[in-house]
């Protein structure tokens, strides 16, 4: 079965009606989810939003578009099609049939991986809940809400796995996913980046470019899992994650484009007084979101991740395309390290260096966005360029957490860092300025002056389409 059954109270393509106990458990969780959405979801009142809704899980034509009241959006449980011949592609169980049940010896580890992934989904909704009040256009407002409802559905995906495969402990963890809140002093979200503010649209674009891109790679490793229901869940989630990254990529495109236009028109890079965001400020926001997202990959080495790989719980990005034995017992990798206080590299087992392997895939991907943004500056005839800071810059996790380093990777004393960090990270003055530009534009076909309009609308609709009906 590939199409979600929308006749059900909880749309799904997992045959939920055939398991009445599980169906009742999820139906009892559903009111708590809706209550969380009402209290912690988007604050801007709307009548309906032009949203896409999953109607299939296959690659072609899997979504339909239409105006939907957000509270009536059909969140549900969608897994990619099952491959009955799928086999484990890596680790000590390589070649075995993929698991349809949780092996007892890996129960705790799998549950933890699912909880951590599940915790990020509602967190981003909470971080973005007030952004609707300052949307630069109806097009952007619609994209924000599409990201929000899909993050809500991704939460449902993880909750289904917890309920279906982890018994009472899983149900309790599902409840805790709604009890924790982003930025809470008492019950914060598990990962640090998901307790940061997303107070303005430049932050939102950077978040969806950098932090959602981390999500892409984390989901990609879980898609390789020997636990087939987790693999199939993540495979479908990646289809929706692509839209989130598009929002970030094109959002930063449009900020850079508008700033470049004003710089050229006025022959100056001092454009703050002209109502757009200076390139220096854009670079500071880039520096912050990139460095915080690098921390999400954990330390350069990890015995836990090595054990996950060997056990078959979590693979590498595009595991089956790798040209090696998929066991890695005799392989090695160079990882970043501090050697006698200096930034250097050391050789470690490829298994313990898997975090570094994944982070490098991510960094290469991120560099593509920077090339896009610099192409915009080049086409405008401007000499300025954006860049990714050094991996040691502003790190709180891993080998470089113990030092301070400049964006070019020069080690600094704590005093030097304190004196210079305002040159490289957003200051309170920068944040206040960016927020001062965040005036809502809700008129069809209009857009805020600090960002360029998109080149294309959604689903073939024009930019001036009425993407959102406000309440």
């Amino acid at each position: 079965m590939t199409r979600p059954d929308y006749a059900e109270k909880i749309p799904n393509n997992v045959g939920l009606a055939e398991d009445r106990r599980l169906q009742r458990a999820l139906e009892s969780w559903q009111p708590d989810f809706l209550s969380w959405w009402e209290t912690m979801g988007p604050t801007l009142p709307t009548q309906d939003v032009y949203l896409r809704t999953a109607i299939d899980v296959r690659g072609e034509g899997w979504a339909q578009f239409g105006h939907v009241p957000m509270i009536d959006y059909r969140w549900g449980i969608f897994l990619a099609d099952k491959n009955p011949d799928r086999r484990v592609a890596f680790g000590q169980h390589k070649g075995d049939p993929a698991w349809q049940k949780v092996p007892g010896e890996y129960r705790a580890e799998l549950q933890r991986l699912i909880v951590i992934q599940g915790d990020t989904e509602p967190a981003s909704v909470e971080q973005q809940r007030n952004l609707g009040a300052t949307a630069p256009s109806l097009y952007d407002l619609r994209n924000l809400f599409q990201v929000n409802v899909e993050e809500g559905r991704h939460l449902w995906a993880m909750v289904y796995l917890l309920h279906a495969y982890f018994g009472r402990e899983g149900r309790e963890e599902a409840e805790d996913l709604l009890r924790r809140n982003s930025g809470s002093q008492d019950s914060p979200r598990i990962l640090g980046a998901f307790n940061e503010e997303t107070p303005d649209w430049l932050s939102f674009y950077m978040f969806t470019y950098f932090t959602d891109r981390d999500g892409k790679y984390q989901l990609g490793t879980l898609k390789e899992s020997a636990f087939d229901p987790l693999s199939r869940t993540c495979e479908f989630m990646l289809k929706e994650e692509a839209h989130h990254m598009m929002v970030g990529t094109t959002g930063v495109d449009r900020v850079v484009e508008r700033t470049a236009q004003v710089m050229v028109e006025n022959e100056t890079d001092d454009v703050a007084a002209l109502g757009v965001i200076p390139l220096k400020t854009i670079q500071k926001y880039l520096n912050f979101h990139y460095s915080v997202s690098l921390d999400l990959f954990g330390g350069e080495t990890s015995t836990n991740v090595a054990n996950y790989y060997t056990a078959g719980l979590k693979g590498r990005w595009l595991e089956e395309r790798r040209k090696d034995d998929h066991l890695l017992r005799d392989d090695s990798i160079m990882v970043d390290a501090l050697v006698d206080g200096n930034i250097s590299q050391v050789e470690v087992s490829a298994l313990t260096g898997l975090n570094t392997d994944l982070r490098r895939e991510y960094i290469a991907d991120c560099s593509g966005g920077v090339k896009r943004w610099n192409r915009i500056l080049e086409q405008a005839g401007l000499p300025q360029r954006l860049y990714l800071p050094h991996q040691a810059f502003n790190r709180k996790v891993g080998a470089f957490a113990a030092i301070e380093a400049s964006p070019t990777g020069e080690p600094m004393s704590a005093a030097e860092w304190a004196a210079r960090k305002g040159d490289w990270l957003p200051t309170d003055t920068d944040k206040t300025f960016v927020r001062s530009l965040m005036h809502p534009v809700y008129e069809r076909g209009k857009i805020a002056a600090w960002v360029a309009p998109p080149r294309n609308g959604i689903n073939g609709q024009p930019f001036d389409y009425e993407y959102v009906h406000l309440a």
Side-chain angles (χ1 to χ4, degrees), residues 295 300 338 392 394-404:
D295 280 348
E300 283 66 27
L338 286 179
N394 192 40
R395 296 295 301 282
K396 303 295 185 288
V397 175
F400 302 131
I403 66 166
E404 303 294 358

Side-chain angles (χ1 to χ4, degrees), residues 124 127-128 131 136 140-141 143-148 197-212 243-244 247-249 251-252 285 289:
S124 61
Q127 289 172 296
Q128 298 158 12
L131 286 177
D140 289 286
L141 184 60
N143 283 344
L144 167 69
F145 291 152
Q146 183 70 58
V147 169
N148 291 162
E197 285 187 297
T198 308
D200 58 70
W201 280 78
L202 180 58
S203 296
F204 174 64
Y205 296 146
M206 292 292 181
F207 182 96
T208 47
Y209 184 82
F210 288 110
T211 306
D212 278 329
H243 173 265
H244 306 183
V247 170
T249 303
V252 179
Y285 275 68
H289 285 274

Side-chain angles (χ1 to χ4, degrees), residues 74-104:
R74 300 308 309 275
W75 290 285
I77 302 156
F78 313 137
L79 277 63
D81 283 341
K82 183 176 180 178
N83 175 6
D85 299 322
R86 180 173 179 255
R87 294 189 173 267
V88 182
F90 61 95
Q92 65 186 5
H93 301 289
K94 179 185 173 186
D96 292 350
W99 313 329
Q100 302 306 320
K101 296 182 179 179
V102 177

Side-chain angles (χ1 to χ4, degrees), residues 68-258:
V68 180
M70 275 202 293
I71 195 62
D72 294 334
Y73 184 80
R74 300 308 309 275
W75 290 285
I77 302 156
F78 313 137
L79 277 63
D81 283 341
K82 183 176 180 178
N83 175 6
D85 299 322
R86 180 173 179 255
R87 294 189 173 267
V88 182
F90 61 95
Q92 65 186 5
H93 301 289
K94 179 185 173 186
D96 292 350
W99 313 329
Q100 302 306 320
K101 296 182 179 179
V102 177
E105 64 268 35
Y106 304 135
R107 185 181 184 85
E109 290 86 351
L110 271 171
Q111 180 175 297
R112 182 63 177 167
L113 289 172
I114 291 168
V115 167
I116 291 172
Q117 181 63 46
D119 194 69
T120 68
E121 313 297 350
S124 61
V125 177
E126 293 165 352
Q127 289 172 296
Q128 298 158 12
R129 64 190 306 260
N130 295 312
L131 286 177
T134 56
S137 71
L138 290 180
Y139 165 89
D140 289 286
L141 184 60
R142 177 265 167 208
N143 283 344
L144 167 69
F145 291 152
Q146 183 70 58
V147 169
N148 291 162
V149 295
E150 289 179 352
E151 299 290 16
R153 204 207 59 72
H154 295 175
L155 170 60
W156 268 98
M158 295 297 110
V159 165
Y160 163 73
L161 294 176
L162 291 171
H163 273 264
Y165 296 97
F166 295 92
R168 180 179 57 81
E169 290 183 356
R171 293 192 294 273
E172 291 173 355
E173 291 284 10
E175 292 171 2
D176 286 342
L177 290 173
L178 298 177
R179 291 196 183 111
R180 287 187 291 272
N181 295 133
S182 178
S184 168
Q185 293 297 313
D186 299 324
S187 301
R189 291 297 174 182
I190 296 170
L191 300 178
F194 292 90
N195 289 301
E196 299 286 350
E197 285 187 297
T198 308
D200 58 70
W201 280 78
L202 180 58
S203 296
F204 174 64
Y205 296 146
M206 292 292 181
F207 182 96
T208 47
Y209 184 82
F210 288 110
T211 306
D212 278 329
R213 194 166 304 274
D214 161 78
K216 163 187 168 181
Y217 282 90
Q218 301 299 342
L219 289 172
T221 64
L222 295 174
K223 185 179 80 69
E224 305 293 339
S225 178
F227 180 42
D228 201 45
L230 175 59
S231 171
R232 293 164 56 209
T233 296
C234 293
E235 183 176 348
F236 180 72
M237 289 169 67
L238 281 164
K239 290 182 171 68
E240 295 183 328
E241 202 73 23
H243 173 265
H244 306 183
M245 291 182 292
M246 181 280 292
V247 170
T249 303
T250 60
V252 179
D253 280 359
R254 293 158 51 216
V255 177
V256 173
E257 179 183 347
R258 180 60 183 146

